[in-house]
Amino acid sequence: MAGNEWINGYLEAILDSGASAIEDLKPTPVNLTDRGHFNPTKYFVEEVVTGVDETDLHRTWIKVVATRNTRERSSRLENMCWRIWHLTRKKKQLEWEDSQRVAYRRWEREQGRKDVTEDMSEDLSEGEKGDGVAEMVQCETPRKSFQRNFSNLEVWSDDKKEKKLYIVLISLHGLVRGENMELGRDSDTGGQVKYVVELSRALARMPGVYRVDLFTRQISSPEVDWSYGEPTEMLTAGAEDADGNEVGESSGAYIIRIPFGPRDKYLRKELLWPYIQEFVDGALAHILNMSKVLGEQIGGGKPVWPYVIHSHYADAGDSAALLSGALNVPMVLTGHSLGRNKLEQLLKQGRQSKEDINSTYKIMRRIEAEELSLDAAELVITSTKQEIEEQWGLYDGFDVKLEKVLRARARRGVNCHGRYMPRMVVIPPGMDFSNVVVQEEAPEVEGELAALTGNNDGSSPKAVPTIWAELMRFLTNPHKPMILALSRPDPKKNITTLLKAFGECRPLRELANLTLIMGNRDDIEEMTGGNASVLTTVLKMIDKYDLYGQVAYPKHHKQSDVPDIYRLAAKTKGVFINPALVEPFGLTLIEAAAHGLPMVATKNGGPVDIHRALNNGLLVDPHDQQAIADALLKLVSEKNLWHDCRKNGWKNIHLFSWPEHCRTYLTRVAACRMRHPQWQTDTPGDEMAVEESSLNDSLKDVQDMSLRLSVDGDKPSLNGSLDYSAATSGDPVQDQVKRVLSKMKQPESDPKDKEGGKKLPENACADISL
């Protein structure tokens, strides 16, 4: 093999070096020539380069270079040795890179499956405070679970102060005012009223929010207080800047009362449906008016439009859908309670037919409005995951499984072919803890209770809340732990089952008192059917089980009395209970925890999430009377458990504060706007670019022209006036249309106008005044 001696020498050096990989490489017929002789070249090319470890090959090359005869020195041999070693390393590098690519593709597939699995198993929140784990959590766990999906969002923070947002909230029914709220007066004036008022205040205090308007109905009726007839009520003044100066005369949170429906009559929510369009007309007039006012204050002369329109309940959702479409502003929806779920519950009770239910509650009109709201809303805010899966999942506009798939695809940038569903977000309501004093023990409790019962050993009486005296007059031994239930007397609140559980459990009666705060009443006979029935049953059961002196059930209380009621129950080492058949959220559970009360709550609905976060009590089946009694008895009798639940509640309660709620709220709304940049963003300080063409379908094109959307019957109409009180003036619809159309005759297009648009004649503009 003349000329190839270097190969033989190289191979001999490899074999002499004792490379472990060579021992297993035996010549095969492939390695033999046709004459059966061993071919070292083929062997080297086909076996050695692929079979020898890199370190062995490098060591061999060094040995060859070091031991070769000087007379046989050849640059070709040296270069070839280096090239062989280099190529071997290169080959190994390519193989490693290929294996890495395969591993990465495998990881991508596994990660994709993991993402889908998480989406399919999670609670459909997008990182809000509803993502709890399945088991009981410790104090550090809630924050991790609540913020698990915030990693891809820019959380709203104090550096947003340069923004000046205008936010609109809508809550049409009930009696809405900022102070002395008449909660429990009727089924329409409950937790929703308190929630929207406090949300308005909290949002107005957030950095970057300039003004919040809460729209509701103006009621000038002798049946209710005069304050509900005031057109405007300030909830809180605007925040101050760094120098302590007010930021603007129109800043802050306000209740805006729009007149619609009969002016001199208070209507329950089921009777408001025919007047929704009239409300939209008045609300639109106010928004157009306010947009100009804010434009002069903070917009540099350009109108400042709402950043978001947030509707509460189905009637507000119906109107918000129309306003959102007219103004090209994103809509957010909070259902509070849902028609399809209520219909199911009423049908299960078997007391009414579907026709009777619809006649009483206008349930089909409500469901229609909820479906419309789902189609129009960009974001749906819920209090719990149960509301998403078991309530919104009943609607045509939302499918739980499909929404999870679409969201999983959206995360990975996969085209969903135009499919759309509103984003579901779990954000529990907030609470103001500024007036809650956390203290381990209350040494003054004996003195205060003694003062109430007259056993103060001759010392001067202590100043105690009036509501305490009102409760004590019912109780023979007020020192016993107080089991507190606070809700309106609605059948679904399940107060009668609680009373039965208390009455039939002798150990519980001996250890504790029961206090039922069931709204306000003057005469049971004057109350609505359901509430009157519950109260009548309660009185009969107290008599049946002879619970006089053991149950307190005052007729009246003020909203300002509620913290004192919680405080009294905590001082007696009592327990708060919510036995509702289904509880959408359970704000009273958070209030009770903030005042140091452990809880017993229904396992159906929002209390499950609250329990995961706070870990301050027990969950029960609301239909199981014995389970309710056992849970109450356990907490009342086991003092160590009671103290642990009390401490856990205080430790974790910050997760439900209003600043936390509003920060999450604004973060989610901002994320929605970023996903749809075609929305108008005239808000000062907003950095998102907007194309002119995005306003083609919005009333904001006609910035100087007032448009009326009032409806007479089913026919839409236009009017050139912004005085929404004229909606019922009786002008024929056709005359209104002709009058406006005559003003809208457009001249030839101005070449200076963008995209060849036409200017409106100046006489088509209507002056807007506050």
Side-chain angles (χ1 to χ4, degrees):
M1 298 175 65
N4 290 329
E5 293 84 359
W6 66 272
I7 294 180
N8 291 329
Y10 192 78
L11 290 174
E12 288 174 2
I14 290 176
L15 295 173
D16 290 342
S17 68
S20 58
I22 299 297
E23 299 298 327
D24 297 329
L25 297 176
K26 305 297 184 181
T28 63
V30 178
N31 301 118
L32 301 178
T33 63
D34 295 339
R35 294 173 292 177
H37 295 116
F38 176 65
N39 188 328
T41 304
K42 277 195 173 185
Y43 178 77
F44 183 84
V45 173
E46 296 177 5
E47 300 291 344
V48 176
V49 174
T50 58
V52 177
D53 185 73
E54 177 188 339
T55 56
D56 293 329
L57 189 58
H58 184 241
R59 187 170 62 250
T60 299
W61 170 49
I62 296 298
K63 184 176 180 179
V64 168
V65 174
T67 60
R68 66 173 180 259
N69 192 301
T70 337
R71 291 176 297 178
E72 297 174 357
R73 182 181 299 273
S74 168
S75 59
R76 180 183 178 189
L77 174 61
E78 186 175 345
N79 291 336
M80 187 63 71
C81 288
W82 180 87
R83 288 178 62 190
I84 292 172
W85 175 57
H86 176 73
L87 290 173
T88 304
R89 292 192 63 189
K90 187 66 174 177
K91 182 175 185 296
K92 287 183 178 292
Q93 177 70 19
L94 293 174
E95 290 175 350
W96 179 83
E97 291 177 354
D98 186 61
S99 65
Q100 287 293 100
R101 284 193 295 269
V102 172
Y104 182 73
R105 286 195 295 269
R106 186 184 300 113
W107 176 85
E108 280 187 323
R109 289 194 296 270
E110 292 176 355
Q111 188 66 27
R113 286 193 293 268
K114 182 180 179 181
D115 289 344
V116 173
T117 301
E118 287 181 355
D119 281 333
M120 291 303 217
S121 61
E122 69 180 3
D123 59 357
L124 290 182
S125 88
E126 281 282 18
E128 4 346 314
K129 304 172 192 169
D131 286 341
V133 293
E135 301 296 330
M136 187 80 71
V137 294
Q138 301 302 322
C139 60
E140 294 83 9
T141 304
R143 180 163 292 280
K144 292 181 181 179
S145 61
F146 283 12
Q147 296 183 352
R148 178 167 57 87
N149 290 326
F150 267 129
S151 57
N152 60 341
L153 292 179
E154 181 186 355
V155 178
W156 197 269
S157 58
D158 290 344
D159 61 1
K160 304 290 185 180
K161 290 181 180 180
E162 75 281 357
K163 293 182 180 293
K164 297 184 182 297
L165 307 184
Y166 173 33
I167 295 175
V168 170
L169 308 180
I170 304 176
S171 182
L172 297 184
H173 63 264
L175 300 173
V176 183
R177 65 183 179 187
E179 303 297 335
N180 299 320
M181 288 178 274
E182 301 181 76
L183 304 184
R185 185 183 193 274
D186 54 41
S187 58
D188 291 354
T189 309
Q192 177 181 327
V193 171
K194 181 178 181 182
Y195 172 75
V196 295
V197 170
E198 293 189 356
L199 175 61
S200 301
R201 285 195 176 108
L203 283 173
R205 297 189 185 106
M206 290 297 290
V209 177
Y210 185 78
R211 181 182 174 99
V212 178
D213 281 343
L214 170 57
F215 287 176
T216 190
R217 180 171 178 243
Q218 185 183 36
I219 306 165
S220 301
S221 169
E223 302 173 3
V224 298
D225 191 81
W226 62 270
S227 59
Y228 300 113
E230 290 295 307
T232 304
E233 177 184 346
M234 175 183 281
L235 294 174
T236 183
E240 297 179 347
D241 59 19
D243 299 327
N245 302 317
E246 292 186 359
V247 296
E249 58 181 339
S250 297
S251 63
Y254 298 82
I255 295 176
I256 306 298
R257 298 186 178 94
I258 306 293
F260 65 100
R263 298 294 189 269
D264 58 349
K265 190 174 183 181
Y266 172 59
L267 298 180
R268 58 189 175 92
K269 58 181 178 291
E270 289 81 9
L271 302 179
L272 290 178
W273 293 110
Y275 311 107
I276 293 295
Q277 295 283 358
E278 188 180 348
F279 165 78
V280 173
D281 185 43
L284 179 62
H286 176 85
I287 291 174
L288 291 173
N289 193 348
M290 185 54 58
S291 69
K292 285 197 169 185
V293 173
L294 296 182
E296 295 173 358
Q297 294 180 11
I298 60 175
K302 295 182 179 179
V304 174
W305 303 103
Y307 192 68
V308 65
I309 296 177
H310 186 175
S311 62
H312 296 267
Y313 197 76
D315 45 17
D318 192 280
S319 58
L322 298 176
L323 288 170
S324 173
L327 295 171
N328 200 18
V329 171
M331 172 187 166
V332 174
L333 170 65
T334 298
H336 291 277
S337 67
L338 301 181
R340 286 196 187 275
N341 183 66
K342 182 171 184 176
L343 178 61
E344 278 193 352
Q345 297 293 331
L346 291 174
L347 290 175
K348 285 180 181 178
Q349 293 178 4
R351 299 175 184 174
Q352 292 177 290
S353 65
K354 188 173 182 179
E355 290 73 19
D356 292 337
I357 294 171
N358 188 48
S359 176
T360 303
Y361 299 103
K362 303 296 186 289
I363 203 76
M364 301 313 295
R365 177 65 179 88
R366 175 178 172 182
I367 292 173
E368 177 188 356
E370 289 164 342
E371 293 282 9
L372 171 64
S373 302
L374 268 180
D375 290 339
E378 171 62 28
L379 191 70
V380 177
I381 295 178
T382 69
S383 300
T384 66
K385 59 184 178 183
Q386 181 268 352
E387 184 180 344
I388 297 172
E389 297 172 353
E390 300 181 19
Q391 297 186 44
W392 283 118
L394 300 174
Y395 285 78
D396 298 335
F398 182 79
D399 182 88
V400 176
K401 293 182 179 179
L402 181 57
E403 196 273 347
K404 292 175 180 178
V405 173
L406 293 179
R407 180 146 48 85
R409 290 181 175 179
R411 283 180 177 177
R412 294 188 295 277
V414 178
N415 193 322
C416 296
H417 304 291
R419 285 184 174 270
Y420 169 77
M421 283 188 183
R423 183 67 55 87
M424 292 282 174
V425 177
V426 177
I427 312 179
M431 181 178 170
D432 181 10
F433 303 119
S434 59
N435 296 324
V436 177
V437 178
V438 176
Q439 53 188 25
E440 289 300 317
E441 299 295 340
E444 76 281 5
V445 62
E446 294 297 331
E448 291 179 336
L449 294 179
L452 284 173
T453 57
N455 301 322
N456 56 357
D457 299 328
S459 59
S460 59
K462 295 179 179 292
V464 295
T466 305
I467 190 64
W468 286 18
E470 177 68 16
L471 295 176
M472 292 303 172
R473 70 186 182 90
F474 288 91
L475 305 175
T476 303
N477 183 1
H479 294 269
K480 293 196 297 185
M482 177 185 291
I483 298 171
L484 172 63
L486 195 157
S487 68
R488 64 180 184 272
D490 191 290
K492 65 183 179 183
K493 296 300 181 181
N494 204 28
I495 297 174
T496 54
T497 301
L498 167 63
L499 192 56
K500 187 176 181 181
F502 181 80
E504 295 184 3
C505 183
R506 186 179 185 86
L508 188 59
R509 296 201 313 270
E510 292 175 350
L511 283 176
N513 294 318
L514 177 63
T515 296
L516 304 176
I517 307 297
M518 300 176 289
N520 291 279
R521 63 188 183 277
D522 292 320
D523 188 345
I524 295 179
E525 293 182 355
E526 297 177 357
M527 301 180 68
T528 58
N531 293 353
S533 175
V534 170
L535 282 167
T536 302
T537 303
V538 165
L539 296 178
K540 289 181 178 179
M541 294 179 73
I542 291 173
D543 186 74
K544 175 183 177 179
Y545 295 112
D546 193 16
L547 299 178
Y548 298 104
Q550 297 175 293
V551 180
Y553 45 96
K555 296 181 67 173
H556 297 96
H557 73 281
K558 299 177 182 178
Q559 181 62 24
S560 58
D561 292 332
V562 173
D564 290 325
I565 297 172
Y566 287 128
R567 193 159 59 92
L568 177 60
K571 285 179 179 294
T572 62
K573 292 183 169 57
V575 177
F576 182 82
I577 181 168
N578 182 336
L581 299 176
V582 177
E583 183 60 57
F585 180 64
L587 187 61
T588 52
L589 295 174
I590 299 175
E591 294 175 343
H595 288 84
L597 272 176
M599 74 171 186
V600 172
T602 175
K603 67 177 184 179
N604 298 331
V608 176
D609 292 338
I610 295 174
H611 179 254
R612 285 171 178 165
L614 299 181
N615 187 16
N616 71 326
L618 302 171
L619 299 179
V620 295
D621 181 353
H623 300 281
D624 190 338
Q625 167 191 328
Q626 189 61 45
I628 294 174
D630 290 345
L632 290 171
L633 187 60
K634 184 178 180 67
L635 278 173
V636 169
S637 59
E638 298 183 17
K639 295 304 178 184
N640 289 336
L641 176 62
W642 187 91
H643 280 287
D644 289 342
C645 290
R646 176 187 179 99
K647 291 178 181 177
N648 288 343
W650 276 336
K651 187 182 299 182
N652 301 317
I653 198 67
H654 66 278
L655 296 170
F656 296 96
S657 66
W658 272 118
E660 191 81 10
H661 175 96
C662 292
R663 192 173 295 109
T664 306
Y665 176 96
L666 293 171
T667 298
R668 291 297 165 187
V669 172
C672 289
R673 295 179 66 91
M674 287 187 290
R675 288 167 51 219
H676 293 275
Q678 71 272 18
W679 273 328
Q680 169 71 351
T681 55
D682 285 329
T683 305
D686 203 324
E687 299 175 356
M688 291 177 289
V690 182
E691 297 181 0
E692 294 284 343
S693 60
S694 66
L695 303 181
N696 289 342
D697 297 326
S698 170
L699 288 184
K700 291 183 288 188
D701 285 332
V702 196
Q703 295 178 354
D704 294 328
M705 179 176 180
S706 59
L707 294 181
R708 293 299 308 275
L709 297 182
S710 60
V711 171
D712 186 3
D714 293 329
K715 298 179 180 180
S717 64
L718 295 170
N719 193 337
S721 172
L722 275 179
D723 182 8
Y724 50 76
S725 63
T728 56
S729 60
D731 291 342
V733 175
Q734 294 300 325
D735 291 344
Q736 297 178 29
V737 174
K738 290 178 181 178
R739 183 163 58 253
V740 173
L741 291 178
S742 65
K743 296 180 179 181
M744 294 179 63
K745 294 179 181 179
Q746 299 177 341
E748 295 181 1
S749 60
D750 189 336
K752 296 182 180 179
D753 291 347
K754 294 183 179 179
E755 300 179 3
K758 297 181 179 181
K759 291 184 177 179
L760 290 172
E762 294 182 359
N763 60 0
C765 302
D767 292 333
I768 304 176
S769 59
L770 282 172

